[in-house]
Amino acid sequence: MRRHIWAAAAVTGALVVLAGCDGGSNDQTESTPDPSPSTSASADAPTASAGDLVAPGSDTVAAPGTADPSVLPTRDGDSAATARVADGVVPPTNRWYSGLVFGDQPFVAFPAPLSFASTDGGFAWGVPQVTAGPDTIVGPASSDVTVTVEGATGLPVATAADTVAVSLAYGDAAVSLAAGSPLVGVTATDDLSLTVAPAPTEAGDGVWTMDAGGRTYGIASASATVEGSTVTLSSGDHLQMFAVPDDGDAAAVAAAVGAPVDGVDVNYALDGDAATTALTYAPEGEPTVVAVPRERAEGMECDLGTYPSINGELAACSASTVTWSVPVIEPDLGLDLSAITDEHRAEIVAALEAEAQVEPVFPADTYFGSKALHRHAMLVTISDALGETDLADGFAGALSDQLLTWADAAGCDGRSERCFEYDDQLQGVVGLEAAFGSEEFNDHHFHYGYLLNAAAVALDRDPSLEEDLAPVMDLVAADIASPADAEAFPVLRAFDPFAGHSWASGFAPFGDGNNQESSSEAVLAWNGVAAWAAARGDESLADTATWALSAEADAAVNRWLRPDLEGFDEYEHDIVALQWGGKREHSTWFSAEPSAMLGIELIPMAPVQQHLAPTDDATVETALRSIESAAPDGYDVPFGDYLLMYQALAGPEQAAAAWDEAIALSEDGIDDGNSRAAMLAWIAAAE
């Protein structure tokens, strides 16, 4: 059903490593441990084998020598916010912990299964108590344990930051946090005194416990001294604070915690049908405690208990590395229309011809402007797929003209729209005109995914565009998808390998942590990076983006569109529209319309999104029920076109019904990022 626009690079089964922080530094290394042999992927997913490790890199796009931000003008003045980071640490926008690093307020982060908040000269943390209501599943931040660092004032500085973990300096205390770790590590950089509340009580040799919020917490250290509420460490020593799992034992957890997790190495592999992620929290043979979803726990030692979470129960396990696989989703730019009926073809061509008679509108900002380019690129690929070369040439000409404007490296020297600047403080590419807080690094992957998909279509059709498009489009790709060998950008700016999806807010100035709303636009982002990298001949980045695409696509289905909501009976919906670190909700940032809740998880129904097709009777029922809830009175509602396209994936009969509805749908029912031609072509391909 799909026309692949590039030949996939040969898959070797090798794991590619994205180096994390090590020992509190921000240095990147090519040396990483093999995944633990005791870990395995979910029994329900394909599994990749671990081969020779390959250092992350990029043949062309985002390599230090070619993705050179100096070709762009530098943003004038200060950035929208200042990051509290040590020298050499790239400001970590779009992370689960960004709220701990940006701004002058102590915002909250959620390193599952914990919550963590800075205070003046210290921090508060705990395990959130999870509850559900009709429209929300909430695990608000917990302050069960508070810690004050003697001599520390104000908010912390990040001394190391990677895609999963962060190290924060509170005076002489180096505090280590990682997603998937129920531990808060503290290392003394000088002789150190902490005040801990509740006061710890001795529970064994080098083990102390505290009861708060209906849960037991603990401290494990071979070198700490505890007197009442005061805990002291000598320079270079460390302790591990931990949350005791439900049905767990403090002594057992204390014995398993190991050393503080001062960075997490991320390995990935593409092997056949499997995209595998391996997160290494500790050296092989020196395991620590990790908290993982049940589907990742197969084959692991997970007898320490469980933790609650807004995404379902987490198992407490002893491991160095956690490994799991999801199905590979290959990047795709075009629909397979070779088998559609003559009737369908005639209607689609008529819609294309109608489009050709209308002057296209290309907004000036980075979101709606890029979205319009993607819309136009779909007209090109559909025309080509139907052999309508004259129509395709006409659409492609307008697309190329617009892309060349955006790709003018010096564009922002003379205008304030349709151009890019480099923010040398936050180390990223910012487009003008900004939209939805993109100057604060909000939603970059949403915006740039549209643009890169369009650029890949144009370059695939006309290779002569490469010289003019590549310098700027390479930087756009680098902004959201740099591997570890790019110095001018963070590694994979928005993608969270533990969560398996991206985060949208640049600074995350919220009490619920970071968030992501449009899972579908996140999928499109990684599709765009992979397709652009492939068009440029960059197999390394294409593989990295295909891995992220596969993970994001899996999360789009299993976290947003058809999530397992077992245990959350009070929640009254089949879908989740907005995912936070500490909350899931049936709500959007922009509309209370029922159709918006589902539509924002479908937009723009690009060819790669055929992965959303239900796979059995139960998932068909869920999909149809969610569509009925979104449009109980018909499809002439916001995002009604996308609802029809989703319905078409539910089977031939549903596709036939969707076709009839689509033919009758008013122009007002078609989103500005879509067209009648694309809607009809999608439904015809599905049927």
Side-chain angles (χ1 to χ4, degrees), residues 511-527:
D512 290 311
N514 213 324
N515 72 90
Q516 179 160 275
E517 182 175 65
S518 182
S519 60
S520 52
E521 289 176 312
V523 167
L524 185 73
W526 296 110
N527 187 77

Side-chain angles (χ1 to χ4, degrees), residues 435-662:
F436 300 106
S438 58
E439 73 279 12
E440 299 179 1
F441 287 77
N442 293 346
D443 299 353
H444 274 205
H445 56 314
F446 298 160
H447 300 200
Y448 297 171
Y450 283 114
L451 183 60
L452 290 168
N453 275 271
V457 167
L459 183 55
D460 183 61
R461 199 172 191 276
D462 183 1
S464 70
L465 293 169
E466 183 169 12
E467 182 177 353
D468 291 325
L469 293 182
V472 169
M473 294 303 159
D474 285 355
L475 289 168
V476 169
D479 179 79
I480 59 174
S482 283
D485 62 350
E487 298 175 352
F489 302 93
V491 177
L492 297 177
R493 180 185 302 279
F495 187 66
D496 181 338
F498 174 81
H501 63 77
S502 303
W503 296 110
S505 175
F507 306 150
F510 307 111
D512 290 311
N514 213 324
N515 72 90
Q516 179 160 275
E517 182 175 65
S518 182
S519 60
S520 52
E521 289 176 312
V523 167
L524 185 73
W526 296 110
N527 187 77
V529 174
W532 172 255
R536 292 277 280 129
D538 184 352
E539 293 182 0
S540 179
L541 184 59
D543 283 351
T544 298
T546 299
W547 160 68
L549 165 63
S550 302
E552 195 94 52
D554 182 77
V557 173
N558 294 310
R559 189 66 65 84
W560 276 268
L561 272 182
R562 297 193 291 273
D564 180 358
L565 296 170
E566 182 180 357
F568 305 117
D569 295 341
E570 298 88 348
Y571 187 72
E572 296 179 353
H573 307 281
D574 289 304
I575 68 167
V576 170
L578 184 54
Q579 172 83 40
W580 297 79
K583 179 171 64 175
R584 304 168 81 184
E585 58 183 323
H586 192 258
S587 176
T588 76
W589 282 102
F590 63 93
S591 174
E593 290 284 344
S595 60
M597 313 300 170
L598 178 56
I600 197 60
E601 309 309 332
L602 303 176
I603 183 175
M605 289 306 269
V608 70
Q609 291 176 262
Q610 291 170 90
H611 78 93
L612 297 178
T615 56
D616 53 32
D617 290 345
T619 53
V620 166
E621 282 187 22
T622 300
L624 295 179
R625 193 166 55 242
S626 65
I627 294 170
E628 172 64 22
S629 177
D633 299 319
Y635 293 94
D636 199 7
V637 293
F639 301 119
D641 49 343
Y642 298 130
L643 303 185
L644 285 170
M645 295 162 83
Y646 186 37
Q647 177 183 319
L649 295 176
E653 291 185 7
Q654 292 294 337
W659 175 270
D660 292 340
E661 292 279 1

Side-chain angles (χ1 to χ4, degrees), residues 246-274:
D246 296 337
D247 301 320
D249 176 72
V253 177
V257 296
V261 178
D262 57 5
V264 175
D265 288 333
V266 180
N267 305 310
Y268 74 88
L270 299 175
D271 190 2
D273 293 332

Side-chain angles (χ1 to χ4, degrees), residues 159-568:
T159 56
D162 63 39
T163 57
V164 180
V166 64
S167 294
L168 302 169
Y170 292 86
D172 295 325
V175 177
S176 302
L177 301 167
S181 172
L183 313 175
V184 178
V186 179
T187 300
T189 57
D190 202 342
D191 291 349
L192 180 66
S193 177
L194 308 173
T195 301
V196 179
T201 300
E202 187 171 6
D205 187 16
V207 181
W208 298 264
T209 59
M210 306 88 76
D211 291 327
R215 178 176 298 278
T216 298
Y217 296 88
I219 298 174
S221 177
S223 53
T225 300
V226 178
E227 296 182 2
S229 296
T230 302
V231 179
T232 57
L233 288 169
S234 297
S235 179
D237 290 339
H238 69 261
L239 60 79
Q240 289 268 61
M241 293 183 284
F242 57 88
V244 178
D246 296 337
D247 301 320
D249 176 72
V253 177
V257 296
V261 178
D262 57 5
V264 175
D265 288 333
V266 180
N267 305 310
Y268 74 88
L270 299 175
D271 190 2
D273 293 332
T276 295
T277 302
L279 304 183
T280 298
Y281 290 81
E284 188 174 0
E286 301 176 27
T288 185
V289 179
V290 294
V292 302
R294 281 294 183 187
E295 62 269 20
R296 299 180 187 173
E298 182 75 19
M300 296 178 63
E301 297 180 14
C302 297
D303 55 0
L304 295 173
T306 62
Y307 296 102
S309 116
I310 60 169
N311 297 309
E313 189 175 78
L314 302 177
C317 312
S318 175
S320 296
T321 299
V322 182
T323 306
W324 70 96
S325 295
V326 300
V328 167
I329 302 297
E330 295 179 354
D332 199 0
L333 294 177
L335 295 166
D336 181 356
L337 301 176
S338 60
I340 66 173
T341 67
D342 291 342
E343 176 191 355
H344 286 169
R345 187 187 189 284
E347 289 284 1
I348 298 167
V349 171
L352 290 168
E353 290 173 340
E355 285 284 350
Q357 301 304 311
V358 178
E359 186 70 23
V361 176
F362 295 103
D365 66 90
T366 56
Y367 180 71
F368 291 107
S370 297
K371 189 177 175 186
L373 290 170
H374 169 75
R375 178 190 189 276
H376 214 70
M378 285 298 301
L379 297 175
V380 174
T381 62
I382 293 166
S383 298
D384 273 334
L386 294 177
E388 297 290 334
T389 304
D390 289 344
L391 285 171
D393 288 345
F395 293 133
L399 176 65
S400 297
D401 288 345
Q402 287 294 315
L403 285 168
L404 289 170
T405 298
W406 281 97
D408 177 6
C412 286
D413 285 336
R415 59 179 185 270
S416 59
E417 62 184 33
R418 297 184 177 90
C419 61
F420 293 98
E421 297 176 326
Y422 180 70
D423 187 323
D424 59 351
Q425 297 176 53
L426 296 181
Q427 294 186 236
V429 173
V430 176
L432 301 180
E433 175 177 326
F436 300 106
S438 58
E439 73 279 12
E440 299 179 1
F441 287 77
N442 293 346
D443 299 353
H444 274 205
H445 56 314
F446 298 160
H447 300 200
Y448 297 171
Y450 283 114
L451 183 60
L452 290 168
N453 275 271
V457 167
L459 183 55
D460 183 61
R461 199 172 191 276
D462 183 1
S464 70
L465 293 169
E466 183 169 12
E467 182 177 353
D468 291 325
L469 293 182
V472 169
M473 294 303 159
D474 285 355
L475 289 168
V476 169
D479 179 79
I480 59 174
S482 283
D485 62 350
E487 298 175 352
F489 302 93
V491 177
L492 297 177
R493 180 185 302 279
F495 187 66
D496 181 338
F498 174 81
H501 63 77
S502 303
W503 296 110
S505 175
F507 306 150
F510 307 111
D512 290 311
N514 213 324
N515 72 90
Q516 179 160 275
E517 182 175 65
S518 182
S519 60
S520 52
E521 289 176 312
V523 167
L524 185 73
W526 296 110
N527 187 77
V529 174
W532 172 255
R536 292 277 280 129
D538 184 352
E539 293 182 0
S540 179
L541 184 59
D543 283 351
T544 298
T546 299
W547 160 68
L549 165 63
S550 302
E552 195 94 52
D554 182 77
V557 173
N558 294 310
R559 189 66 65 84
W560 276 268
L561 272 182
R562 297 193 291 273
D564 180 358
L565 296 170
E566 182 180 357
F568 305 117

